[in-house]
Amino acid sequence: MSPDGSRPGADESPGQPLLVVKGLRKEFRLRRSVTEWFRRAPAARVAAVDDVSFVLRRGETLGIAGESGSGKTTAVRCLIRLVEPDEGDIHFAGIDVRAASGRSLREVRRRMQMVFQDPYTSLNPRMRVGPAILEAGRVHHRPGVDDPARFVGRLLELVNLPASIAAKRPRELSGGERQRVAIARALAVGPEVLIADEAVSALDVSVQAQLLNLFRSLKSELGLTMIFVAHQLSIIAQSADYVAIMHRGKVVEQGPVADVFRAPRHPYTQTLLAAHPEPNPDNRLAILNEVEMEPSGEVVVSHDKDPGGPT
Amino acid sequence: MGAEVDATIGSEPRPLLEIRGLRVVFAARRGRLTVVRGVDLEVREGETLGLVGESGSGKTTTLRSIIRLLPSTATIERGDILFDGTHVLALGPQGLRSLRARAIGTVFQDPYSTLNPVARVGRQLAETMELNLGLTRREAWARAIEALDHVGIPSPDRHARSYPHELSGGMRQRVMFAMAIAARPRLLLADEPTTALDVTTQAQILALLVRLRRENGMATILVSHDLGVIAQMCDTVAVMYAGFIVERGPAREIYRRPHHPYTQGLLRSIPGIVPPASPDEAHLSTIPGQPPNLQNLPAGCPFAPRCPHVRAGCGEIDMTLQRAGDAHMTACPFVRSSDVA
Amino acid sequence: MATDSVQLLPGDLQGARSVRSGLLSVGIGSFLLVVIAAAAFLAPVIAPYAPNKLDITHALASPSWAHLMGTDEVGRDVFSRVLYGVRLDLAVVLLVTYVPLPIGVLLGAIAGYFGGVTDMVISRAADVVIAFPFLVLVIAVVAITGPGLWGASIGIIVGGWAMYARLARSEMLVLRERQFMLATRALGYSHARAIVRHALPNLLRSSIVFSAVDVVINLLLLAGLSFLGLGVQPPTAELGAIVASGQPYLLTAWWIATLPGLVLVVLGVAVSMVGDAIGDRWGDVGS
């Protein structure tokens, strides 16, 4: 049930493909140095997102895991066109997202909401919590918005914040509280999909756990479908049903979380899992116990990895 | 005199670093902020101590106090810091400089705060060596290249001519390490050295640290909020909360038999890498409430508002550490753990 | 980096000593400002003489209890003229500084937000204005309007918006990438809403801090223009004009030029002190 009490339609049953992405591609052109400019050398291009495809089904949580430079954030920003993709198909509930404009694009953005990473900059520092949440509801003419106190109060309750928070400004709140407010604001427009772009990465461990539980309960209470972008595999392991592992713009492996994590097939996935520092002093990474180490100290992966390049 | 006293029985070598009763206060606009509230620590030769805690725990300030690298708004109000018998807090500028240059090396989270973005990397490293080791320019440059090679930077002569922004995050950290250990310090202070790095790069850097500390016989203090990294790297662990040390002991003890409720809660809330087998297992155990507000701490134990075992006496305890096992200390007089599997 | 505690902003961790010196300068600055502004406001009430009352018999009288700042060459009481002059100056300067501010900030915000052609047009316009030697600009405007207060004011306004536009534009370029601005797009807010409701309140701070400096600059500008005869026309009392009229008498009746000049300086310093303190307090601009 959405915050406004409406139920999903009959043909929107769980398990149906909700978001279909095919061949997504986004390139950035690097700035040329002065000498390159003189020589008129063509600007080097970097494919931040390179032929990415996946399907998100209603009611499930897709985790997108990758390190810096993997393209995961660029990819999800393409989904709601915060970044304009160069190529590819994005179909959300049958709507061609890339072709949408004006009102239809706004509607797509209403139904697919994003929570950002940095709790310190994702809220307008000049706006109090209540008005920020209310504004979201007003702009999209959400039911219940004519009773502001109740509208805001209900959303704050959903994210386990006391109603008194509505009068505060972001700087008076802790990181975890701010993220909850950001979630409440996103929920205010009544989305079907929630994209959490590293939404817990900047938080303390104890607060992270609270937020992950919150996401889980919101998902079941509101029937949300979720995309979880994270660089920490453990977060993905605990929150996602399916996972897509990204490396340098490509999806190198995807599948049900249990399968991928227990029996990873791609060498990069294996490396990622092997490098995870387990909080158990009795099980130290083999890599750390190596008496003989490569002079370069490099981790060897079977595909090309340039140790000298910039990240 | 009769029998010779075996010098090793019952006598322990003096610790390399001792901190006693450290109290650090910041002057904030709205009053004073006591960030470190009475910390006792020691580190022995060759030992790696992990300082773990969340925001507001005071772990970074504690670390920086050791070499007195605090902002002007901070004052060390109380306490003693003894490095190899020298009172660090009594050192004059010359002595402090020598301490920082030769005896204690430091690596920070953000290389940009130590690396000059407009100077080539090799030059910066060589300069440190010129100053601290008294080498000539030529010797220093050669040593710098060696050092870069030693910390695992490929094609060191080429990369020595690079600027910091031209290097990857992992490479920058390697340069930081090279600078920190250039004078073969006996103690290395590392403040979240891998937090900004990818997990694969982190593994490499941690491996590097393992190698370096073994080669140099260095003691290390590693500050991190990442309990995984601490578990992998440390012999001893001290857990901090709101400016206090709440638990301290050998790493295995802390992770297997945490006594303090905060440590217990923290360990339980770490998401594991093994996906839950069923939806019921999916719920993460959490520590309720918010991180401590340093300007408004309750009397007695600062963790009481969030503690599942809170009771009437919590407001009166003074947070001194009590023995709870072999070299295992906790600040909570009421709670002990049964084995946490 | 995990940082979950309530964020301490730069203003919070100001050391105790600098807080004290900050308070001192705010204190002195505001005190002076209030005194001068009050005096100016109450000019009609407290001025001992009408500013344009001639009294040739007492011309060039040195300061005395009857005439606190002496009289000028036609016997007008300098002190009264100074009071009315400050009144005029303050009013005009506030107008001339705070009319271009919102215009400039809005234009700059729009330029920074949209980029592309819009940015180019607005930025080039601002560049032209800034590149013009200011006096030439004012003279051009005055040539159209005729000399006088209006001409000078319009001239300063036309020249003044460009700085604010530039300031706001460069801040907007940074602000645009902040996550709460991205959120306005993700939430489907219109551009107008994003700029006016969300960006502007964050952009105004730095412009307001700058405006303190601008006030001082404009004050001196206005005085300078009147001194040159381009601004206020005689017999209107205005600080610069009074200084100008006292120039020929510098060696004989020094008080006509010097005392009003001193008042000008004190006013400028007071505004600067207050501006500095505001700047320190709002040091988190951009964070």
Side-chain angles (χ1 to χ4, degrees):
Chain A
M1 168 155 2
S2 348
D4 55 6
S6 59
R7 289 184 172 282
D11 60 339
E12 299 162 336
S13 43
Q16 292 305 305
L18 183 52
L19 179 65
V20 179
V21 175
K22 268 202 279 248
L24 191 61
R25 195 179 161 77
K26 174 71 187 173
E27 259 180 11
F28 288 110
R29 255 179 266 144
L30 298 180
R31 284 221 309 249
R32 295 177 283 181
S33 71
V34 178
T35 41
E36 285 171 354
W37 186 82
F38 263 117
R39 279 190 283 126
R40 303 201 179 282
R45 289 155 188 250
V46 167
V49 178
D50 193 356
D51 194 23
V52 164
S53 310
F54 59 83
V55 173
L56 178 70
R57 285 168 218 281
R58 193 177 284 278
E60 67 180 40
T61 300
L62 170 68
I64 302 184
E67 302 185 297
S68 54
S70 58
K72 56 192 192 303
T73 291
T74 311
V76 295
R77 288 189 182 179
C78 284
L79 298 179
I80 53 176
R81 287 176 58 192
L82 282 187
V83 167
E84 285 296 338
D86 293 322
E87 279 171 37
D89 285 320
I90 306 173
H91 285 269
F92 172 68
I95 307 169
D96 182 350
V97 175
R98 287 191 67 200
S101 68
R103 180 164 299 179
S104 51
L105 181 58
R106 248 179 64 181
E107 188 58 9
V108 167
R109 285 177 171 166
R110 181 191 72 79
R111 295 167 71 184
M112 250 200 306
Q113 271 297 304
M114 189 175 274
V115 179
F116 296 89
Q117 168 176 7
D118 188 352
Y120 293 112
T121 60
S122 58
L123 297 177
N124 186 342
R126 303 258 76 79
M127 248 181 138
R128 291 180 205 268
V129 166
I133 297 177
L134 191 63
E135 182 185 30
R138 279 230 172 93
V139 167
H140 290 277
H141 312 293
R142 300 303 298 163
V145 130
D146 43 352
D147 187 351
R150 203 143 167 261
F151 185 78
V152 172
R154 222 173 338 133
L155 284 161
L156 288 177
E157 210 187 305
L158 263 181
V159 296
N160 293 331
L161 284 176
S164 55
I165 289 259
K168 301 211 170 161
R169 281 188 215 261
R171 62 166 286 176
E172 302 172 67
L173 307 177
S174 67
E177 287 169 331
R178 287 183 216 208
Q179 285 302 62
R180 290 173 197 264
V181 169
I183 296 172
R185 181 181 62 182
L187 293 177
V189 305
E192 292 155 53
V193 177
L194 203 56
I195 304 175
D197 186 3
E198 302 263 27
V200 299
S201 306
L203 302 174
D204 282 324
V205 170
S206 57
V207 179
Q208 236 178 41
Q210 291 174 10
L211 266 283
L212 289 178
N213 285 342
L214 176 65
F215 277 119
R216 184 172 312 107
S217 67
L218 285 174
K219 193 182 148 185
S220 64
E221 253 181 82
L222 304 176
L224 290 174
T225 307
M226 286 202 60
I227 300 182
F228 236 100
V229 177
H231 64 278
Q232 267 174 280
L233 287 182
S234 48
I235 292 183
I236 302 267
Q238 298 303 318
S239 13
D241 308 310
Y242 288 83
V243 63
I245 311 269
M246 283 187 71
H247 179 60
R248 297 219 176 159
K250 291 194 196 288
V251 174
V252 297
E253 187 163 1
Q254 57 180 307
V257 156
D259 294 347
V260 171
F261 278 51
R262 283 180 204 178
R265 271 182 263 172
H266 194 277
Y268 179 68
T269 317
Q270 293 165 354
T271 313
L272 270 190
L273 286 166
H276 180 259
E278 213 193 304
N280 182 355
D282 292 317
N283 186 9
R284 298 208 156 145
L285 292 177
I287 204 172
L288 295 182
N289 286 332
E290 284 248 286
V291 176
E292 290 298 323
M293 271 202 24
E294 292 284 293
S296 67
E298 294 295 339
V299 170
V300 177
V301 179
S302 59
H303 66 277
D304 220 12
K305 192 170 196 254
D306 174 22
T311 42
Chain B
M1 297 301 202
E4 289 213 343
V5 177
D6 185 340
T8 59
I9 294 180
S11 75
E12 291 180 328
R14 179 187 61 196
L16 179 63
L17 175 76
E18 268 181 271
I19 303 178
R20 299 257 161 267
L22 183 67
R23 194 176 162 84
V24 181
V25 178
F26 277 70
R29 172 179 299 275
R30 304 189 199 115
R32 291 151 44 93
L33 211 57
T34 309
V35 171
V36 179
R37 287 169 191 271
V39 158
D40 293 332
L41 279 180
E42 43 185 59
V43 182
R44 303 185 172 280
E45 296 269 8
E47 179 184 14
T48 301
L49 167 72
L51 260 190
V52 69
E54 300 180 295
S55 313
S57 57
K59 57 192 193 298
T60 295
T61 307
T62 305
L63 193 77
R64 288 180 178 228
S65 303
I66 296 173
I67 45 171
R68 288 164 60 187
L69 204 67
L70 295 170
S72 55
T73 51
T75 338
I76 300 182
E77 223 175 54
R78 233 190 289 154
D80 271 319
I81 302 182
L82 277 132
F83 179 75
D84 203 15
T86 318
H87 280 271
V88 172
L89 298 181
L91 285 177
Q94 189 76 313
L96 197 54
R97 219 178 301 140
S98 166
L99 186 77
R100 291 177 186 167
R102 287 196 207 102
I104 303 183
T106 338
V107 176
F108 293 116
Q109 168 181 350
D110 170 20
Y112 280 126
S113 51
T114 328
L115 289 179
N116 184 346
V118 297
R120 292 176 210 271
V121 150
R123 175 86 241 117
Q124 295 186 52
L125 186 49
E127 201 169 49
T128 328
M129 290 175 160
E130 269 178 70
L131 291 172
N132 298 339
L133 302 178
L135 302 175
T136 66
R137 204 160 244 232
R138 184 171 302 228
E139 288 171 343
W141 183 260
R143 282 280 210 103
I145 309 262
E146 261 177 52
L148 290 178
D149 183 44
H150 192 71
V151 294
I153 292 186
S155 314
D157 43 337
R158 180 162 68 92
H159 283 114
R161 287 177 229 280
S162 303
Y163 290 96
H165 68 268
E166 294 174 327
L167 302 176
S168 66
M171 303 245 282
R172 280 196 292 266
Q173 279 303 53
R174 290 177 195 266
V175 172
M176 289 278 288
F177 274 102
M179 284 178 77
I181 61 154
R184 298 223 174 293
R186 290 166 70 197
L187 174 63
L188 179 70
L189 305 178
D191 187 358
E192 307 264 13
T194 58
T195 300
L197 303 174
D198 288 329
V199 72
T200 49
T201 315
Q202 172 174 271
Q204 298 170 28
I205 297 296
L206 292 180
L208 173 66
L209 180 51
V210 166
R211 174 161 68 89
L212 291 178
R213 74 182 179 195
R214 197 187 48 231
E215 285 171 359
N216 290 336
M218 282 184 314
T220 312
I221 303 185
L222 179 61
V223 165
S224 179
H225 66 280
D226 186 333
L227 286 154
V229 168
I230 296 276
Q232 297 291 315
M233 300 293 294
C234 303
D235 307 313
T236 322
V237 175
V239 180
M240 288 187 72
Y241 188 85
F244 290 108
I245 296 195
V246 297
E247 191 164 358
R248 193 177 78 213
R252 292 199 161 86
E253 278 290 303
I254 299 279
Y255 282 79
R256 237 193 266 145
R257 261 183 295 274
H259 287 309
H260 198 278
Y262 175 60
T263 319
Q264 293 171 355
L266 203 56
L267 288 171
R268 274 198 299 255
S269 51
I270 306 173
I273 193 105
V274 177
S278 70
D280 312 308
E281 281 182 26
H283 189 88
L284 284 169
S285 157
T286 66
I287 305 178
Q290 302 294 329
N293 178 353
L294 293 181
Q295 290 186 305
N296 199 4
L297 289 182
C301 176
F303 186 63
R306 305 169 77 184
C307 184
H309 305 286
V310 64
R311 63 201 65 187
C314 291
E316 268 103 53
I317 70 175
D318 67 353
M319 302 301 287
T320 44
L321 293 173
Q322 327 184 343
R323 194 164 286 279
D326 224 0
H328 190 164
M329 318 276 278
T330 175
C332 179
F334 307 124
V335 173
R336 294 288 176 272
S337 88
S338 42
D339 265 6
V340 174
Chain C
M1 174 178 71
T3 50
D4 206 6
S5 45
V6 175
Q7 189 187 24
L8 289 175
L9 299 170
D12 293 337
L13 277 185
Q14 233 180 350
R17 189 186 300 162
S18 75
V19 168
R20 261 182 275 130
S21 78
L23 283 177
L24 199 63
S25 93
V26 160
I28 295 180
S30 351
F31 175 71
L32 286 173
L33 205 52
V34 164
V35 164
I36 295 178
F41 186 67
L42 294 171
V45 173
I46 59 179
Y49 303 85
N52 292 323
K53 179 161 188 261
L54 301 176
D55 188 3
I56 307 281
T57 52
H58 290 109
L60 301 177
S62 59
S64 62
W65 283 116
H67 294 279
L68 286 171
M69 288 188 182
T71 62
D72 66 4
E73 71 278 14
V74 287
R76 295 178 293 199
D77 177 38
V78 175
F79 181 61
S80 306
R81 282 180 68 74
V82 163
L83 281 178
Y84 275 89
V86 171
R87 195 161 195 238
L88 186 73
D89 273 325
L90 277 182
V92 174
V93 147
L94 286 178
L95 185 80
V96 154
T97 309
Y98 291 102
V99 161
L101 191 152
I103 300 176
V105 169
L106 187 61
L107 284 176
I110 292 176
Y113 186 87
F114 288 110
V117 177
T118 323
D119 185 7
M120 207 176 59
V121 167
I122 296 179
S123 291
R124 295 297 83 80
D127 287 344
V128 165
V129 166
I130 292 179
F132 243 95
F134 188 77
L135 238 37
V136 174
L137 191 64
V138 174
I139 291 175
V141 172
V142 164
I144 300 174
T145 64
L149 199 52
W150 273 122
S153 303
I154 293 176
I156 299 179
I157 289 179
V158 165
W161 69 272
M163 258 333 262
Y164 294 110
R166 265 205 188 162
L167 208 56
R169 174 185 173 273
S170 56
E171 292 230 332
M172 176 59 108
L173 289 179
V174 172
L175 199 70
R176 198 175 56 169
E177 302 307 319
R178 292 268 214 94
Q179 293 185 354
F180 75 87
M181 289 300 289
L182 285 180
T184 60
R185 289 171 60 201
L187 286 162
Y189 294 175
S190 66
H191 292 308
R193 178 178 286 271
I195 295 179
V196 174
R197 249 336 225 119
H198 291 269
L200 277 190
N202 287 290
L203 295 176
L204 279 176
R205 271 200 171 180
S206 61
S207 288
I208 291 179
V209 170
F210 179 76
S211 74
V213 173
D214 209 19
V215 163
V216 178
I217 292 177
N218 289 338
L219 189 61
L220 298 174
L221 216 47
L222 195 61
L225 285 174
S226 303
F227 183 89
L228 291 175
L230 289 174
V232 165
Q233 297 300 302
T236 316
E238 192 275 329
L239 290 177
I242 303 174
V243 171
S245 72
Q247 214 198 6
Y249 304 94
L250 213 43
L251 293 175
T252 48
W254 54 271
W255 50 89
I256 308 179
T258 328
L259 295 177
L262 214 57
V263 170
L264 199 55
V265 167
V266 169
L267 188 54
V269 168
V271 173
S272 295
M273 278 178 149
V274 173
D276 262 349
I278 296 180
D280 283 342
R281 185 64 167 95
W282 284 357
D284 63 340
V285 161
S287 73

